[in-house]
Amino acid sequence: MMTGVMSATLDDVSIQRAKSGDISALEDIYRAYEHMVYALARRICRAPEDAEDVLQETFLEVCRSIGTFRGTGHGSLTAWIKRIAASKALMRIRREKYRDTDELHEDTAPSRKGSDVALRMDLDAAINRLSDTARAVVWLHDVEGYTHGEIGAMMGKSVSFSKSQLARAHVRLRGWLGEEATA
Amino acid sequence: MTHLTMQQLLDVREPASSPGSQSARQHLGTCHVCQDELERSHQRTAQLKALPTLQAPRDLWPEIRSQVVAHRRRRRAAWGGVGGLALAASIALFLVLGGRPVAAPEEESSRAIGTAMAQSQMLETALGRYRPEGRVTDGRTATVVAGLETRIAEVDRQLQVAGMMRQRVRDEALLSLWRQRVGLMDALVNVHLTRATNAGL
Ligand SMILES: [Zn+2]
């Protein structure tokens, strides 16, 4: 989620300074984007330690390769940093291979079972219960606004993989949130 | 009546819908069950967007900063060291090969690599004397310089990888990489010198 907490001093000049390697300009960028990157990483990785690692890896990459950043202004810098963060977070969940126990259930159609309604949990708990992949897809698509094409590319998967993961995530959330069944 | 699957419903929400979504839209126009389901999916997304932003528990900048600074120092030290070695190696090669009338192919490629390394080192030395980090840089030059620096760093990374390859493949890779590096270093020196000339006018 976008935090909107950006330093007012982070203009094109300071971005240029950062590109030439100025360490205090790089710190300005860190300050402007640490919240955005951590929040994204935390939603995808769940564990605070993993999110911290992603935050660190993201800014090491930002500092080392900001010279390759070709855009100007806040908007494109935000998109550039966010993409690095998303890639690092996805890399981490791939590496960690969390146990995806809920992958065992089948969910091609909305569940109408009473047992799901009985579960009723809040949204925070529900998204944390999703498999890593499904959670990452629903977050990147619904909250961060990435297209299925972009998500597929970042994950090294197809567009239809991203679409089916999103549908799967919505079916599960629907059940876990105890939304009224309409039969 | 068969209702839409979740994936069909979500497809309808996409800006560029697939061809199949045409019939899904038609169904949606007449089916209240699916309309409700679509509305619920919108609400779910809105709730996700409204979740609180999680804050980092501590400041990681000091760690990142020290790693960035260390990385730069290592890079400089490594290439100072290797560059010095390169020069020594190329002189040694010259001395060894100088007296022989015909060189074997491996020696040819070693000599070519040695030449490229020496050229790269000469340019590195020239740049070092000029001390670009102590000078004021305009934004456009900074962009060009940063781009070249990044590409040089990438070549350096590939050189490390190439160093671990088997002899024959390695020599070809090394020669090509060292020549790339010479080209990039040459461009970098030119950017700095051009700027210095303009500033001097
Ligand atoms: Zn229907």
Side-chain angles (χ1 to χ4, degrees), chain B residues 1-4 27 31 33-34:
Chain B
M1 172 154 48
T2 312
H3 293 303
L4 299 178
H27 173 88
C31 177
V33 175
C34 286

